[in-house]
Amino acid sequence: MSLLRYDPATNDWVVFSPERSRRPHDAGGPPTAPSSGAADCPFCPGHEDRTPPEILSRRDGPGGSWTVRVIPNKFAVLSPSSEHEHVEEGPLFRRLGGYGAHEIVIEAPEHDRFLGHQPVEQIDRVLRALHARFNALAQDTRLRAVVAFKNHGAAAGTSLRHPHWQIIATPVVPRQMRVKSAIATDYFDRTGRCVYCDLLTEERAAGIRVIVAGEDYTAVLPYASATPYQVRVMPRVHRASFGRVPEEELGRLAPVLREVLGRLYAGLGDPAFNLTIATAPRGDEHKPSGHWHVDILPRLTTPAGFELGSGMAINTVLPEDAAEHLRRAVPAAAGNAPATCP
Amino acid sequence: MSLLRYDPATNDWVVFSPERSRRPHDAGGPPTAPSSGAADCPFCPGHEDRTPPEILSRRDGPGGSWTVRVIPNKFAVLSPSSEHEHVEEGPLFRRLGGYGAHEIVIEAPEHDRFLGHQPVEQIDRVLRALHARFNALAQDTRLRAVVAFKNHGAAAGTSLRHPHWQIIATPVVPRQMRVKSAIATDYFDRTGRCVYCDLLTEERAAGIRVIVAGEDYTAVLPYASATPYQVRVMPRVHRASFGRVPEEELGRLAPVLREVLGRLYAGLGDPAFNLTIATAPRGDEHKPSGHWHVDILPRLTTPAGFELGSGMAINTVLPEDAAEHLRRAVPAAAGNAPATCP
């Protein structure tokens, strides 16, 4: 069973999940190179009995087959069957039961197709499944935050190749969410404005770091990017929570995401990356200071002692140079190619 | 030339160092396996002319040869020849020149010997060189922090195999130092005590996570370790800055460090790791709330989207289990073996 422990010297909660070390691994080799693992893959069609019972699926494929499928993670970091209680183990040592949720969103029936090469309609199905699960988990008052993310490639920490997202819901507010929320609130209190809206306005005016300048979403490599080729997809409409995005606006994200992923794939040769949805913690959904967004973090360099010891990032590529490179990259052609960027 | 940029949404400064991507690499393969690279190694004796002019050396080897050597990093992240000025590039975009220092401490003349297998005297020489350079850099009032660290193995981000440490001095206080200092100050203001002293007392009383219980230093796998097999070496004497450690007390660190590194090597089969010295930023050296220490972070797992997106760590090994394993590991015998642990 997993649990959380509190560090009074950093105010961080750490999740302990000894079961995770027993996960199967098949993710060696280049991220999307064809693998021989489909026959054994628990996420492939026909192998539905190898996963825990499904939570949600979209059955609009040929003959009513599923196109997107959500299941509990068999090697869950946090689980609804764990306890949810604080225990004092000493004057400074405190732990909390590993209550939470850990779900897998299987992106598509295909074992090997890269998300950025899927039709826009399929990316849209994935986003809608994430949105539905995000909001379902946010109903549970014992959960404080929902983190949705995708790992692509072994260097990005994925253990199974079949393309999937994960959703982890936590019983405490994770550090980064807490810190970013506090900074945005402070900025709002001082200026009456959202720091993300202001950053977006400034990036769009500068232009040199923008790779997709759509009406509803802007893809930009931020001025102070912590890693090479970090891409942030920012919605124009200011809204703290991903869960509150209306259907119609959500529907306009898929083509932008497809274009960004296609440019990263073409420009960097299928890099490993992590994709996360930054959003407000539970209870802050209606705060005027938050602004949800998508962050894509290619794993091109290895953080070392300086970064781990100081918390300060070293980035070896200026984002305006990286943006120039991605604007020139040509995403794979497809029947569903999105509008090209400026 | 490198520079720093500020992110108003996180309050973090990011270092941009485009030159770093041109570094040579020879660090593939297992961390300390013999490599054929010695002939080309710029850190080996006889190749002194391949490095920038040395800053410091200890010449007590055979025939007056060097035993430890400090040089500027040829691919410096920050440099004393860079500018030190703030520039506003827009309402929210601010940058700072890459003024600072980046030095290499070559641990020993041998190209391939692991630090934990060096004689205690050699480890002591390294610590004294680090201490001397730490204090020399701390004289510069334009620098706000000095970060000393060691990367071992390619998975820990090292690019050259010949064992070395690095020292980076920064013109701003890095996030982690700022956050830890603020939390320790708050704890002190509330309780009148140091949070690290209290943690040390509690860990020594519990005992199950301690691997070396010396009089001056304790090596412990912290209760809320963020990564598997994280080891913290804590001095008993409460002191904010590594630079203020007196000679005699510094001299008692080498055998403890040797034992810890030897146990990690034996117990985990020469793992890649980062070692950092946590210390107070400039100006906080005499604060009653800080407590310097050494952190060793083996790189056994890959942080993925959840960790990067939330700032929350997932640890797959309980520190008390890891400590049990390391207490049973047998470090390599040597003429200079330190006293065994309890």
Side-chain angles (χ1 to χ4, degrees), chain A residues 184-207:
Chain A
T185 302
D186 176 62
Y187 186 93
F188 184 85
D189 289 347
R190 282 187 289 113
T191 65
R193 297 192 310 272
C194 160
V195 67
Y196 294 97
C197 285
D198 280 4
L199 280 168
L200 180 58
T201 302
E202 205 163 331
E203 288 290 10
R204 292 211 32 147

Side-chain angles (χ1 to χ4, degrees), chain A residues 5 15 89 151 223 315 320, chain B residues 5 15 89 223 305 315 320:
Chain A
R5 288 179 176 182
V15 180
E89 297 194 274
N151 305 327
Y223 174 78
N315 188 337
E320 44 275 24
Chain B
R5 288 180 176 181
V15 180
E89 297 193 272
Y223 174 77
N315 188 337
E320 44 273 25

Side-chain angles (χ1 to χ4, degrees), chain B residues 144-293:
Chain B
R144 301 294 309 282
V146 183
V147 182
F149 61 98
K150 174 178 169 58
N151 304 328
H152 178 69
T158 199
S159 55
L160 287 178
R161 180 182 301 264
H162 192 123
H164 61 283
W165 288 60
Q166 298 179 64
I167 302 175
I168 296 182
T170 57
V172 296
V173 180
R175 185 226 307 156
Q176 197 157 298
M177 226 177 239
R178 179 163 43 81
V179 169
K180 286 166 81 175
S181 179
I183 292 170
T185 302
D186 176 63
Y187 187 92
F188 185 85
D189 290 346
R190 282 187 290 114
T191 64
R193 297 190 311 271
C194 161
V195 65
Y196 295 97
C197 285
D198 280 3
L199 280 167
L200 180 58
T201 303
E202 205 162 332
E203 288 290 10
R204 291 207 40 144
I208 51 171
R209 286 173 293 271
V210 172
I211 60 166
V212 184
E215 193 177 326
D216 295 290
Y217 295 94
T218 303
V220 60
L221 282 68
Y223 174 77
S225 300
T227 55
Y229 286 86
Q230 175 185 350
V231 183
R232 178 165 289 173
V233 180
M234 291 288 300
R236 178 179 50 81
V237 179
H238 168 80
R239 192 178 277 116
S241 174
F242 172 65
R244 304 285 159 165
V245 181
E247 287 252 321
E248 199 183 312
E249 192 182 320
L250 185 64
R252 290 192 284 264
L253 178 55
V256 177
L257 202 53
R258 189 183 193 283
E259 173 162 351
V260 169
L261 293 174
R263 287 184 182 277
L264 281 170
Y265 187 100
L268 299 176
D270 192 15
F273 65 83
N274 302 103
L275 190 162
T276 69
I277 299 180
T279 182
R282 213 188 127 65
D284 286 0
E285 293 92 341
H286 294 289
K287 260 197 163 176
S289 51
H291 195 136
W292 77 277
H293 55 268

Side-chain angles (χ1 to χ4, degrees), chain B residues 114-125:
Chain B
F114 178 57
L115 184 62
H117 296 163
Q118 288 283 2
V120 168
E121 292 69 31
Q122 186 62 23
I123 299 174
D124 190 57
R125 287 187 186 103

